[in-house]
Amino acid sequence: MVLIVGLTGGIGSGKSLVGEYFADLGAKVLDADEISRRVIERGSEGFDRVVATFGDAILRDGDIDRRALAERIFGNSAERAKLEGIIHPLVREAFESTAASLSGDDVLVYEIPLLAETGAATRFDFIITVETDLPVRTQRLKKRGLLAADIEARVRAQATPEERMSVAGYVLTNNGTPDELLREVEYVWEKILPGLQRAQN
Ligand code: ATP
């Protein structure tokens, strides 16, 4: 049977890298962040609804300016709820349509940063969290050009490692080299996921 795996982790923990490794091994990989950008691209239903709700001020060169939109909802829970009310159902729809297109023993890995926060855990057959010590994450993200203050603000807004681990069936640790991470991912792919699939059949 198709196995649907939720992949979470804090900012800069290495979710995308783990997603790439799973894709190389043969999983179908979806990224919730990427889908949430796609569903409000120009020409989409989501685009029309966001502009109808928030006005032309959030547009830049005809596209939704995600930074302007983020500023608009920052610290304003009513505005945030309105935006999420548009985007979340569209993201879910895109996810479910991919899930429905799979067959046989396909594995779908869904990268979702806020899995522990949004109560989405029940949708998955198995949950993996990528946990990386904060100083390591901070150093890697700084290399990518992020500012320490922005990293701290994001970390504060996210679930704690304990909260993520409490919903996860497996913890991938990413304090070492990419090769070490790859070996862990291979272990999960070869030793953990097939057993779960057999148990479902
Ligand atoms: P975000 O929360 O921002 O989406 P993420 O959890 O998807 O991040 P990645 O983008 O995979 O994390 O990794 C964060 C950064 O750390 C990237 O620049 C990535 O190349 C780097 N990185 C990830 N794992 C390692 C590693 N084991 N060694 C060195 N650099 C790494």
Side-chain angles (χ1 to χ4, degrees):
M1 253 173 58
V2 174
L3 194 70
I4 299 186
V5 177
L7 173 63
T8 194
I11 177 174
S13 57
K15 294 179 292 297
S16 302
L17 195 53
V18 169
E20 276 173 38
Y21 291 156
F22 274 124
D24 289 345
L25 289 165
K28 170 86 189 164
V29 179
L30 285 179
D31 174 358
D33 279 346
E34 200 266 319
I35 299 176
S36 66
R37 283 192 288 272
R38 207 176 65 213
V39 297
I40 58 167
E41 269 173 7
R42 195 179 344 176
S44 66
E45 176 200 340
F47 176 93
D48 294 344
R49 291 185 53 200
V50 169
V51 176
T53 306
F54 294 95
D56 289 354
I58 52 117
L59 291 178
R60 189 164 149 197
D61 300 331
D63 289 313
I64 289 172
D65 180 354
R66 294 173 54 82
R67 185 179 288 262
L69 194 55
E71 278 166 15
R72 178 76 181 269
I73 64 168
F74 185 76
N76 184 330
S77 52
E79 297 274 79
R80 175 180 295 271
K82 270 193 222 163
L83 182 64
E84 290 179 347
I86 299 170
I87 292 183
H88 286 179
L90 293 170
V91 172
R92 249 192 318 271
E93 204 179 288
F95 165 78
E96 291 300 344
S97 115
T98 301
S101 74
L102 300 176
S103 61
D105 278 347
D106 285 346
V107 175
L108 174 61
V109 173
Y110 190 49
E111 278 179 60
I112 169 167
L114 302 183
L115 190 154
E117 292 85 335
T118 54
T122 52
R123 180 62 188 92
F124 302 102
D125 300 315
F126 192 61
I127 293 171
I128 297 170
T129 184
V130 191
E131 294 301 328
T132 307
D133 291 346
L134 191 53
V136 180
R137 288 197 268 158
T138 304
Q139 198 191 12
R140 286 175 186 164
L141 289 170
K142 277 186 179 166
K143 260 196 212 154
R144 219 170 59 180
L146 267 78
L147 300 173
D150 291 338
I151 300 169
E152 279 166 28
R154 291 278 298 277
V155 168
R156 269 199 304 276
Q158 294 186 335
T160 61
E162 290 71 26
E163 284 165 336
R164 283 189 295 270
M165 287 191 280
S166 74
V167 298
Y170 197 89
V171 180
L172 284 168
T173 309
N174 183 25
N175 291 320
T177 64
D179 271 348
E180 283 169 320
L181 181 65
L182 173 59
R183 278 196 290 276
E184 276 197 78
V185 173
E186 283 172 338
Y187 175 82
V188 171
W189 182 258
E190 286 163 14
K191 306 284 182 209
I192 309 270
L193 301 186
L196 292 170
Q197 224 149 15
R198 276 195 300 276
Q200 279 202 333
N201 287 335

PDB file of all heavy atoms in Angstrom, residues 45 85-86 89 93 95 100 153 165 170 175:
ATOM      1  N   GLU A  45      -6.534  30.451  -8.762  1.00  0.00           N
ATOM      2  CA  GLU A  45      -7.703  30.817  -7.955  1.00  0.00           C
ATOM      3  C   GLU A  45      -7.243  31.480  -6.650  1.00  0.00           C
ATOM      4  O   GLU A  45      -7.813  32.459  -6.180  1.00  0.00           O
ATOM      5  CB  GLU A  45      -8.490  29.526  -7.651  1.00  0.00           C
ATOM      6  CG  GLU A  45      -9.672  29.703  -6.744  1.00  0.00           C
ATOM      7  CD  GLU A  45     -10.098  28.365  -6.099  1.00  0.00           C
ATOM      8  OE1 GLU A  45      -9.737  27.285  -6.635  1.00  0.00           O
ATOM      9  OE2 GLU A  45     -10.776  28.418  -5.051  1.00  0.00           O
ATOM     10  N   GLY A  85      -7.035  30.765   5.767  1.00  0.00           N
ATOM     11  CA  GLY A  85      -8.320  30.236   5.313  1.00  0.00           C
ATOM     12  C   GLY A  85      -8.358  30.068   3.798  1.00  0.00           C
ATOM     13  O   GLY A  85      -9.088  29.237   3.267  1.00  0.00           O
ATOM     14  N   ILE A  86      -7.582  30.892   3.101  1.00  0.00           N
ATOM     15  CA  ILE A  86      -7.503  30.762   1.642  1.00  0.00           C
ATOM     16  C   ILE A  86      -6.465  29.702   1.262  1.00  0.00           C
ATOM     17  O   ILE A  86      -6.732  28.800   0.474  1.00  0.00           O
ATOM     18  CB  ILE A  86      -7.118  32.116   0.987  1.00  0.00           C
ATOM     19  CG1 ILE A  86      -8.178  33.180   1.287  1.00  0.00           C
ATOM     20  CG2 ILE A  86      -6.920  31.934  -0.515  1.00  0.00           C
ATOM     21  CD1 ILE A  86      -7.763  34.602   0.894  1.00  0.00           C
ATOM     22  N   PRO A  89      -6.640  25.302   2.621  1.00  0.00           N
ATOM     23  CA  PRO A  89      -7.459  24.319   1.883  1.00  0.00           C
ATOM     24  C   PRO A  89      -6.896  24.020   0.488  1.00  0.00           C
ATOM     25  O   PRO A  89      -6.975  22.891   0.016  1.00  0.00           O
ATOM     26  CB  PRO A  89      -8.829  25.002   1.779  1.00  0.00           C
ATOM     27  CG  PRO A  89      -8.847  26.000   2.879  1.00  0.00           C
ATOM     28  CD  PRO A  89      -7.429  26.470   3.038  1.00  0.00           C
ATOM     29  N   GLU A  93      -5.707  20.407  -0.794  1.00  0.00           N
ATOM     30  CA  GLU A  93      -6.270  19.852  -2.031  1.00  0.00           C
ATOM     31  C   GLU A  93      -5.141  19.343  -2.948  1.00  0.00           C
ATOM     32  O   GLU A  93      -5.235  18.252  -3.513  1.00  0.00           O
ATOM     33  CB  GLU A  93      -7.026  20.980  -2.733  1.00  0.00           C
ATOM     34  CG  GLU A  93      -8.120  20.588  -3.673  1.00  0.00           C
ATOM     35  CD  GLU A  93      -8.755  21.864  -4.233  1.00  0.00           C
ATOM     36  OE1 GLU A  93      -9.465  22.568  -3.479  1.00  0.00           O
ATOM     37  OE2 GLU A  93      -8.505  22.175  -5.404  1.00  0.00           O
ATOM     38  N   PHE A  95      -2.105  18.464  -2.076  1.00  0.00           N
ATOM     39  CA  PHE A  95      -1.503  17.291  -1.439  1.00  0.00           C
ATOM     40  C   PHE A  95      -2.368  16.053  -1.666  1.00  0.00           C
ATOM     41  O   PHE A  95      -1.873  14.996  -2.076  1.00  0.00           O
ATOM     42  CB  PHE A  95      -1.319  17.564   0.061  1.00  0.00           C
ATOM     43  CG  PHE A  95      -1.044  16.335   0.874  1.00  0.00           C
ATOM     44  CD1 PHE A  95       0.226  15.772   0.881  1.00  0.00           C
ATOM     45  CD2 PHE A  95      -2.044  15.738   1.615  1.00  0.00           C
ATOM     46  CE1 PHE A  95       0.486  14.625   1.614  1.00  0.00           C
ATOM     47  CE2 PHE A  95      -1.797  14.600   2.356  1.00  0.00           C
ATOM     48  CZ  PHE A  95      -0.531  14.039   2.356  1.00  0.00           C
ATOM     49  N   ALA A 100      -3.699  10.834  -4.059  1.00  0.00           N
ATOM     50  CA  ALA A 100      -4.673   9.976  -4.747  1.00  0.00           C
ATOM     51  C   ALA A 100      -4.112   9.410  -6.045  1.00  0.00           C
ATOM     52  O   ALA A 100      -4.605   8.406  -6.557  1.00  0.00           O
ATOM     53  CB  ALA A 100      -5.952  10.768  -5.030  1.00  0.00           C
ATOM     54  N   ALA A 153      13.722  34.593  15.797  1.00  0.00           N
ATOM     55  CA  ALA A 153      12.273  34.855  15.774  1.00  0.00           C
ATOM     56  C   ALA A 153      11.529  33.640  15.214  1.00  0.00           C
ATOM     57  O   ALA A 153      10.482  33.243  15.740  1.00  0.00           O
ATOM     58  CB  ALA A 153      11.982  36.097  14.930  1.00  0.00           C
ATOM     59  N   MET A 165       9.308  15.804  18.533  1.00  0.00           N
ATOM     60  CA  MET A 165       9.666  14.395  18.757  1.00  0.00           C
ATOM     61  C   MET A 165       8.493  13.612  19.345  1.00  0.00           C
ATOM     62  O   MET A 165       8.391  12.415  19.145  1.00  0.00           O
ATOM     63  CB  MET A 165      10.909  14.308  19.632  1.00  0.00           C
ATOM     64  CG  MET A 165      12.153  14.709  18.840  1.00  0.00           C
ATOM     65  SD  MET A 165      13.711  14.364  19.662  1.00  0.00           S
ATOM     66  CE  MET A 165      13.844  15.721  20.776  1.00  0.00           C
ATOM     67  N   TYR A 170      10.175   8.599  14.200  1.00  0.00           N
ATOM     68  CA  TYR A 170      11.617   8.446  13.994  1.00  0.00           C
ATOM     69  C   TYR A 170      12.270   9.822  14.004  1.00  0.00           C
ATOM     70  O   TYR A 170      11.725  10.774  13.463  1.00  0.00           O
ATOM     71  CB  TYR A 170      11.905   7.748  12.656  1.00  0.00           C
ATOM     72  CG  TYR A 170      13.315   7.205  12.587  1.00  0.00           C
ATOM     73  CD1 TYR A 170      13.608   5.932  13.036  1.00  0.00           C
ATOM     74  CD2 TYR A 170      14.362   7.996  12.110  1.00  0.00           C
ATOM     75  CE1 TYR A 170      14.901   5.443  13.004  1.00  0.00           C
ATOM     76  CE2 TYR A 170      15.664   7.518  12.077  1.00  0.00           C
ATOM     77  CZ  TYR A 170      15.915   6.232  12.528  1.00  0.00           C
ATOM     78  OH  TYR A 170      17.199   5.748  12.503  1.00  0.00           O
ATOM     79  N   ASN A 175      23.510  16.647  12.866  1.00  0.00           N
ATOM     80  CA  ASN A 175      24.598  17.501  13.374  1.00  0.00           C
ATOM     81  C   ASN A 175      25.916  17.234  12.654  1.00  0.00           C
ATOM     82  O   ASN A 175      26.889  17.946  12.848  1.00  0.00           O
ATOM     83  CB  ASN A 175      24.810  17.277  14.867  1.00  0.00           C
ATOM     84  CG  ASN A 175      23.646  17.803  15.678  1.00  0.00           C
ATOM     85  OD1 ASN A 175      23.111  18.867  15.372  1.00  0.00           O
ATOM     86  ND2 ASN A 175      23.242  17.063  16.694  1.00  0.00           N
TER      87      ASN A 175
END
